[in-house]
């Protein structure tokens, strides 16, 4: 990867090395050095496609392993990765999916497959804007009313956009929202798990209500899932509701299990210089990578 900013040279893409320099001058030198080298072409297409297939199969096996891995967690709730897999199975072909920021949403793209030639995946990406997914799905529905539009959101981000359910009902914009209810700001909590000794500050959410009930109070449809066997049926019902002009909120009661952190490249174990904070020093990352209140 190539960037004029040193710390960004290897942040956004996986690469074997980073080049820090003027993009135009560096590109010119690279072109000169690559002159005469064997490049990607039809002559080596078969070998390249075979390698792609091999890597894809390896990732599929790895994803299956992660999805089915045993993690000690509370009963009566759904593991996030299993919910994501079942949701993907139930989406109609040609769906548009928008994802918010958050720990669960950050790994959802691993399970989504798109066949439509048009834009299908709408993600907050480096903007990091919380409360993005549902308005994005609404906009997609207005732009492409013939396509099924679904938003993924955690319960934290949902608190910043649930009022738009009223907009959908009032303006006739049938859209589906999937809300992962795990009672926490997962992305922030993951940092506190790994690097701050499980000292949870501002990352626990008290949700004594039902987001499905709130949706129904707004004259939308509301569905609550507490078991993985209910997920595919719920999203298929939401697909049908959308065809009938109805907005649906699917409340997914998931465990507190957390996936990978957003910015491992930017986070390190803190160093405490003042004596009064020495007691909070961490010598290593969490061995489990999971919250203590699973």
């Amino acid at each position: 990867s190539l960037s004029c900013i040193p710390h960004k040279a290897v942040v956004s893409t996986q690469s074997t090395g980073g080049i820090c320099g003027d993009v135009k001058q560096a590109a010119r030198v690279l072109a000169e050095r690559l002159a005469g080298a064997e490049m990607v072409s039809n002559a080596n297409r078969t070998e390249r496609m075979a390698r792609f297939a091999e890597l894809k199969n390896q990732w599929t096996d790895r994803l299956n392993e992660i999805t089915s891995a045993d993690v000690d967690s509370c009963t009566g709730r759904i593991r996030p990765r299993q919910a994501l897999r079942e949701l993907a199975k139930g989406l109609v072909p040609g769906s548009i999916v928008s994802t918010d920021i958050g720990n669960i949403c950050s790994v959802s793209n691993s399970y989504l497959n798109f066949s439509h030639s048009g834009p299908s995946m709408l993600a907050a990406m480096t903007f990091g804007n919380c409360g993005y997914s549902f308005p994005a799905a609404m906009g997609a529905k207005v732009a492409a009313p013939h396509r099924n539009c679904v938003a993924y959101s955690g319960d934290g981000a949902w608190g910043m956009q649930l009022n738009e359910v009223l907009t959908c009902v009032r303006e006739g914009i049938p859209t589906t929202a999937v809300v992962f209810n795990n009672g926490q700001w997962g992305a922030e909590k993951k940092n506190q798990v790994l690097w701050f000794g499980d000292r949870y500050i501002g990352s626990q959410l008290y949700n004594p209500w039902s987001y499905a009930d709130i949706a129904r109070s707004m004259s939308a449809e509301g569905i609550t899932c507490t078991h993985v066997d209910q997920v595919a049926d719920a999203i298929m019902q939401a697909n049908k509701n959308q065809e009938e002009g109805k907005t649906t909120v699917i409340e997914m009661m998931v465990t507190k299990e957390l996936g990978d952190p957003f910015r491992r490249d930017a986070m390190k174990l803190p160093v405490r210089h003042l004596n009064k904070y020495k007691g909070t020093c961490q010598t290593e990352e969490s061995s489990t990578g999971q919250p203590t209140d699973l």
Side-chain angles (χ1 to χ4, degrees):
S1 60
L2 176 60
S3 175
C4 61
I5 305 174
H7 73 275
K8 289 188 176 182
V10 292
V11 169
S12 59
T13 58
Q14 182 178 2
S15 61
T16 55
I19 299 174
C20 179
D22 179 82
V23 175
K24 183 176 181 180
Q25 293 181 7
R28 183 183 298 116
V29 173
L30 284 173
E32 293 172 354
R33 295 192 178 187
L34 290 173
E38 182 181 1
M39 306 296 286
V40 171
S41 66
N42 284 332
N44 53 32
R45 184 178 186 278
T46 301
E47 292 80 2
R48 289 186 290 107
M49 295 305 293
R51 178 56 176 162
F52 291 155
E54 179 185 356
L55 293 173
K56 185 175 181 180
N57 289 335
Q58 289 176 2
W59 169 241
T60 300
D61 292 341
R62 175 58 179 155
L63 188 60
N64 290 336
E65 179 184 343
I66 297 172
T67 305
S68 59
D70 291 330
V71 175
D72 291 333
S73 57
C74 60
T75 58
R77 289 190 173 235
I78 309 165
R79 289 194 58 215
R81 285 185 176 274
Q82 292 178 346
L84 290 170
R85 169 152 288 175
E86 294 303 311
L87 284 168
K89 290 179 182 178
L91 288 172
V92 296
S95 292
I96 297 174
V97 179
S98 62
T99 59
D100 221 284
I101 64 165
N103 189 266
I104 296 176
C105 290
S106 70
V107 299
S108 62
N109 61 314
S110 298
Y111 298 89
L112 294 168
N113 292 288
F114 300 103
S115 57
H116 197 280
S117 59
S120 298
M121 176 70 177
L122 307 177
M125 312 233 0
T126 54
F127 289 110
N129 36 349
C130 191
Y132 156 89
S133 61
F134 196 51
M138 292 166 60
K141 189 64 178 180
V142 172
H146 58 289
R147 297 182 65 183
N148 185 60
C149 296
V150 181
Y152 287 3
S153 173
D155 47 356
W158 185 241
M160 298 187 177
Q161 55 192 328
L162 65 84
N163 56 301
E164 298 303 340
V165 173
L166 280 174
T167 305
C168 289
V169 174
R170 288 169 174 166
E171 303 300 327
I173 309 172
T175 314
T176 299
V178 178
V179 181
F180 300 102
N181 188 342
N182 58 7
Q184 59 190 11
W185 287 99
E188 287 70 27
K189 191 171 182 179
K190 183 68 173 186
N191 295 340
Q192 295 170 1
V193 168
L194 289 177
W195 299 295
F196 297 96
D198 289 287
R199 297 191 307 279
Y200 305 138
I201 300 174
S203 56
Q204 305 284 62
L205 296 175
Y206 177 60
N207 298 334
W209 46 75
S210 164
Y211 291 114
D213 286 347
I214 294 174
R216 285 190 287 269
S217 74
M218 297 179 181
S219 296
E221 301 296 314
I223 304 172
T224 300
C225 296
T226 58
H227 193 275
V228 68
D229 292 342
Q230 301 169 335
V231 177
D233 289 339
I235 191 65
M236 287 189 286
Q237 180 61 53
N239 297 338
K240 181 181 178 182
N241 291 346
Q242 197 167 140
E243 291 177 358
E244 297 174 354
K246 302 174 185 176
T247 290
T248 305
V249 174
I250 302 176
E251 183 178 25
M252 204 70 60
M253 307 303 292
V254 295
T255 70
K256 294 180 180 293
E257 177 186 347
L258 295 173
D260 294 332
F262 278 159
R263 292 298 305 276
R264 183 175 287 280
D265 63 293
M267 300 293 291
K268 296 180 180 179
L269 291 170
V271 177
R272 307 300 188 188
H273 296 283
L274 298 180
N275 287 331
K276 64 179 179 179
Y277 296 128
K278 293 291 185 180
T280 64
C281 283
Q282 304 297 315
T283 58
E284 60 183 4
E285 292 185 5
S286 165
S287 59
T288 65
Q290 295 300 331
T292 56
D293 58 347
L294 278 174

